[in-house]
Amino acid sequence: MAMSTGDSSGGPMSEINVTPLVDVMLVLLIIFMITAPLMSHRITVELPTANPKVTDTEPVEPMDLAIKPDGTMYLNDVEVTEAELKAQFAVAAAKSPQPELQIRADKTTEYKIVRKVLGSAKEQGMVHVGFITTGKE
């Protein structure tokens, strides 16, 4: 006669024993808690101090270029030719800090004239270029 264990079905035991799983997880948790602070590297860097009361230099006066519809150009209210304008761009591009070129073109001026001026400014090394418009009142 066989001894019965109280299980009348006689099939395999289907319950999972979670105690070893919890033990392993707790050990891993402790290991990660100990090693996580060791993995952060501290690098010391000398940071610059900011002093807002000191100004580096006085602001640079921008270059004002007016372009009329017929193609005549005025740099700071003085009429210039295209060759003179390129020379002025080269001189301004060499300055440090570089002045800003502010273009005021008439609204009826053809874009190819403005594009030509922008191309020559870029060729000479001008970086800061802006367009001046009037706002609606």
Side-chain angles (χ1 to χ4, degrees):
M1 194 162 154
M3 290 187 149
S4 72
T5 58
D7 190 18
S8 59
S9 66
M13 195 167 136
S14 62
E15 294 179 15
I16 298 175
N17 191 0
V18 293
T19 307
L21 177 67
V22 171
D23 289 343
V24 169
M25 288 299 159
L26 287 175
V27 169
L28 288 175
L29 179 67
I30 292 170
I31 290 172
F32 285 131
M33 287 173 56
I34 292 172
T35 57
L38 300 176
M39 292 191 321
S40 66
H41 299 287
R42 301 225 180 243
I43 299 173
T44 58
V45 177
E46 284 291 322
L47 296 175
T49 56
N51 190 355
K53 295 177 183 171
V54 176
T55 57
D56 293 343
T57 58
E58 53 195 51
V60 179
E61 192 69 28
M63 297 174 67
D64 181 38
L65 178 67
I67 304 174
K68 292 212 169 217
D70 60 356
T72 56
M73 295 175 278
Y74 297 88
L75 184 64
N76 295 330
D77 296 331
V78 177
E79 187 173 354
V80 291
T81 63
E82 191 174 333
E84 292 172 342
L85 189 63
K86 283 186 178 184
Q88 291 288 335
F89 287 161
V91 169
K95 290 182 182 177
S96 179
Q98 192 179 91
E100 180 182 7
L101 173 63
Q102 296 178 345
I103 298 176
R104 291 184 297 128
D106 191 275
K107 67 180 178 179
T108 58
T109 304
E110 292 184 19
Y111 179 70
K112 66 180 179 180
I113 299 172
V114 178
R115 186 182 66 209
K116 195 174 192 182
V117 169
L118 287 173
S120 63
K122 184 179 179 184
E123 283 176 8
Q124 300 303 322
M126 294 293 292
V127 178
H128 306 290
V129 179
F131 291 95
I132 302 218
T133 61
T134 58
K136 293 190 176 193
E137 298 178 15

